[in-house]
Amino acid sequence: MQLPTPEDLKKRRNELGLTQSELAKRAGVSQPLIARIESGDVDPRLSTVRKILNAFEEAEREQQIIIRDLMHSPAIHVSPEDLVEDVVNLMHIHGFSQIPVLEKGIPVGSVSEDLIVKLMGESKKKSISQLKVSGIMGEAFPTVSPGISISVVSHILERNPAVLVIEKGTVVGVVTKHDVMKLLQN
């Protein structure tokens, strides 16, 4: 077994599009140590090299997973004209905590448990249940194409509960944080 040189490690990190900080976090070491290893200032322990190589392998696996393989299709959704009561029932049946709002196949908003609970605290239950979705919906979820990698979608999901997958102008699927977390079980 030939150990990689500092140049080899830096080249592979750059090919994977990782910063020194991202690699350090994945490998469980400090960013200054990565910088020193790549510059040749320090000769790392074998265990440290193994951690770095494992981090590279993990990053490669993530980049090989594309959203088409992970998304739920068809995307269960509601329309702006649906009643909140119907949305709550649909979310309950499917175990969703949020749901996209589509109008003629185009994302126009979203409804989440958090939003409904907030509205319930501000009003009476009956008055909310008979409202139309268009009167309470939040912003639409971000959209991506089906060929995008899981690493890109993971970053989007850090700030959003779900991502819609659009192909040829039509919503073909949805990916949630829960879907990405399920990858850890494999």
Side-chain angles (χ1 to χ4, degrees), residues 102-161:
L102 305 182
E103 188 168 28
K104 297 179 183 171
I106 298 171
V108 293
S110 65
V111 178
S112 69
E113 287 177 343
D114 292 342
L115 178 66
I116 293 170
V117 169
K118 179 182 174 196
L119 290 171
M120 287 178 70
E122 297 171 355
S123 185
K124 293 182 176 144
K125 178 185 178 279
K126 282 294 176 193
S127 62
I128 293 172
S129 65
Q130 297 306 307
L131 290 176
K132 288 186 178 184
V133 168
S134 60
I136 67 145
M137 66 185 182
E139 291 184 22
F141 299 130
T143 60
V144 297
S145 66
I148 200 156
S149 74
I150 187 64
S151 59
V152 172
V153 172
S154 293
H155 289 299
I156 297 171
L157 287 171
E158 289 174 10
R159 294 174 303 282
N160 299 280

Side-chain angles (χ1 to χ4, degrees), residues 60-112:
E60 284 177 341
R61 277 193 305 274
E62 286 177 4
Q63 290 179 357
Q64 292 172 353
I65 297 171
I66 60 171
I67 289 309
R68 181 186 308 281
D69 300 332
L70 189 62
M71 71 182 186
H72 290 281
S73 183
I76 295 173
H77 63 279
V78 296
S79 79
E81 298 302 309
D82 289 336
L83 296 179
V84 171
E85 179 178 48
D86 298 329
V87 174
V88 170
N89 289 333
L90 187 63
M91 290 169 69
H92 177 73
I93 289 168
H94 292 284
F96 296 160
S97 57
Q98 66 274 328
I99 194 161
V101 181
L102 305 182
E103 188 168 28
K104 297 179 183 171
I106 298 171
V108 293
S110 65
V111 178
S112 69

